[in-house]
Amino acid sequence: MEKQPRILVSQFMLKNRVFEVTLNRLFLTWKELNARKKRVSGSIHNTFKVGFCLAKVLHRTRGVTSGSHCVPVSEIIAVQETEVDNIQTKDEGKWQKMSQKTVETYPYAFTVFYVERARQHRWRCGNVTFFCSDGLLRQQWVQAIKEQLSLQTCRPKHLLVYINPYGGKQQGKQIYEQKVVQLFTLASISTDVIVTERANHARDHLKTEADLKKYDGIVCVGGDGMFSEVIHGLISRTQTDSGVDQNCAHEKLVQCNLRVGIIPAGSTDCICYATIGINDPVTSALHIIVGDSQALDVCSVHHNDTFLKYSVSLLGYGFYGDILADSEKKRWMGPARYDFSGIKTFLSHHYYEGTVSFQPATDILGNPRDKTKCRSGCYVCQHNGQLFSEEIRDESVEGGVSENEDEREWKVVKGKFLAINAASMSCACPRSPKGLSPAAHLADGTTDIILVRKCSRLNFLRHLLRHTSKDDQFDLTFIEVHRVRKFKFTPKYCESEDTDVKDVRKKLFSQICRDHPACSCTSVNSNWNCDGEILDHAAVEVGVHCQLIKLFARGIEEKAGV
Ligand SMILES: CCCCCCCCCCCCC/C=C/[C@@H](O)[C@H](COP(=O)(O)O)NC(=O)CCCCCCCCCCCCCCC
Ligand SMILES: Nc1ncnc2c1ncn2[C@@H]1O[C@H](COP(=O)(O)OP(=O)(O)O)[C@@H](O)[C@H]1O
Ligand SMILES: [Ca+2]
């Protein structure tokens, strides 16, 4: 077949007007040739139904000026030849068939589907249909656009999808079928879908059974808990395949190559919200289709040299641990369980004693009190990621852990805490759009430890309320925040080798309450909330693994659509 020219320029009809349409390696543009020409009634409009109606073209695309449009090739979803006979145009608010005259004059059409930016970081699938009188010209254009799309090698072709039918409002299956399937089909993505039948089904399948070579990525439909399952399966599988022992807290873990996409259908959806800017299934599906990639830090959590869990968002002891433990009993309430347990936990006002030790990350760019935030293409993440990989290289040359790391000073904070939170990312979510640590980075190799010391209910409420306003939630005397690469927590009432938290509670409960006759405390230790899962131990050792996994995301874009 004849080789396509590098740039295609042709004239096509659109909205009954003539447009000059240009395609090069980077952009598809269309520009009205005679902008003043009056619109003829019954004209062709570029919003219409083709099979199923994806979305109205709202002319919100970046780079749109009046009569001129520009779509990056990297944001084209698909191109299709269009049957002119079946096209319905929207005119004066009503769907109408195109006039016979137009059909006869311009019987050849093709439709381009592309990403449109809407409000609050939402993406939608827009479309535009060009009409012409020459069948060969249409064929040449469709072919050329398809060729450009085939050069987008970062796009996934075959995906493994896990759906949690019980997450959030139990809508996972419906959300996937009604909002995602048609987009994947349009983008020629094939899928193997597994609807989970029990907790840890996805994790175990990934860990031992799934033939990962077959896929270009994994998609999970659910909340943060479901995402956690998927990355546990994927990280464990990658380490096993590479002979790395997860139980060794100081071992360098091997990065996972397969990207993971999250179709939000959970209760908090913090990971999706903080990496894309919104928890919206269509937006997530489009980020998967265009083949976005965002690296993510992962914390490993160990107890006495035994691996417990990984965390990518919140590791919270005290307040958020107690909320989670209480809310698990109220799953039937759906996402509202967190508000209910939140108020209950706030009123109970428990504090916990213990020691937090950490190595402050001093050699990196960024600080938890920064005003600038982690955004798409973040310089801080790139810089610190580079620094981190250089350190790792040096270590492997010398063999063993670098001296620098061991020599770094450990800070020790002892006290009574309402909450100890480690946020590896902002933890932005619909409840708090700026998150627990607004300046935290997705991929800088660090986590922000937020210590909330014992204070009055009123002061704690002030701190909580500031998560929902512009005020600085760290600018309070009882709050400390540190950016770290590693930390340890030791509860005052330590667990012995073989006992778990429940045994400790039993053992110490009587003694504590003898010491404080008026106290209403129910437990001496809290639980760790690890991305929405409860850990079995209170004493933990945590290390950050810089950019261990990758998501189908690009970080939050600086400027959203109008
Ligand atoms: C008074 C208003 C205070 C608003 C404070 C909001 C801070 C919210 C920060 C939330 C960070 C969430 C980090 C992510 C955690 C998720 O991994 C994890 C699992 O998600 P999944 O169920 O989708 O699987 N989710 C959670 O652990 C849920 C945390 C929910 C926190 C809700 C907090 C509500 C607090 C209400 C306090 C009310 C005081 C009222 C006084 C009269
Ligand atoms: N088929 C299933 N039945 C019961 N639990 C499941 C199933 N699939 C996954 N889970 C578990 O459900 C929990 C919550 O899932 P998630 O999708 O995060 O919803 P939510 O955001 O409402 O917590 C996770 O711990 C996950 O392991
Ligand atoms: Ca981080």
Side-chain angles (χ1 to χ4, degrees), residues 296-299 312 381 423-426 440-448 483-484 544:
L296 215 58
D297 295 335
V298 177
C299 285
V312 291
C381 289
S424 299
M425 57 169 72
S426 69
H441 287 270
L442 294 172
D444 68 338
T446 72
T447 187
D448 290 347
R483 188 157 285 181
V484 310
V544 187

Side-chain angles (χ1 to χ4, degrees), residues 526-553:
S526 174
N527 298 287
W528 281 99
N529 172 342
C530 176
D531 292 359
E533 306 289 310
I534 292 170
L535 298 184
D536 289 337
H537 296 276
V540 292
E541 187 177 339
V542 179
V544 187
H545 298 265
C546 188
Q547 307 186 0
L548 188 66
I549 57 169
K550 278 185 265 167
L551 292 189
F552 284 111

Side-chain angles (χ1 to χ4, degrees), residues 2 107 152 443:
E2 226 178 278
Q152 309 290 311

Side-chain angles (χ1 to χ4, degrees), residues 26 59 77 109 113 165 196 208 247 254 263 313 323 355 364 402 438 454 458 489 496 553:
L26 297 177
H59 294 286
I77 297 156
F113 299 87
T196 60
T208 49
N247 284 323
V254 175
I263 303 293
S313 59
I323 290 181
T355 306
I364 47 133
S402 83
K454 185 185 166 203
L458 189 63
F489 174 70
S496 63

Side-chain angles (χ1 to χ4, degrees), residues 224-225 267-270 313 320 337-338 346 464-465 529 531-532:
D224 294 337
S267 302
T268 314
D269 298 325
C270 142
S313 59
Y320 291 103
R337 69 191 185 277
Y338 289 135
F346 171 80
L464 288 177
L465 281 172
N529 172 342
D531 292 359

Side-chain angles (χ1 to χ4, degrees), residues 16-18 32-40 66-67:
N16 234 17
R17 296 172 199 156
V18 184
E32 194 176 345
L33 277 185
N34 184 358
R36 283 193 185 175
K37 195 174 167 183
K38 259 193 161 178
R39 196 175 160 207
V40 187
S66 161

Side-chain angles (χ1 to χ4, degrees), residues 227-241:
F227 176 76
S228 171
E229 263 201 36
V230 165
I231 62 157
H232 276 83
L234 185 61
I235 299 173
S236 295
R237 175 75 173 267
T238 310
Q239 307 321 308
T240 312
D241 290 353

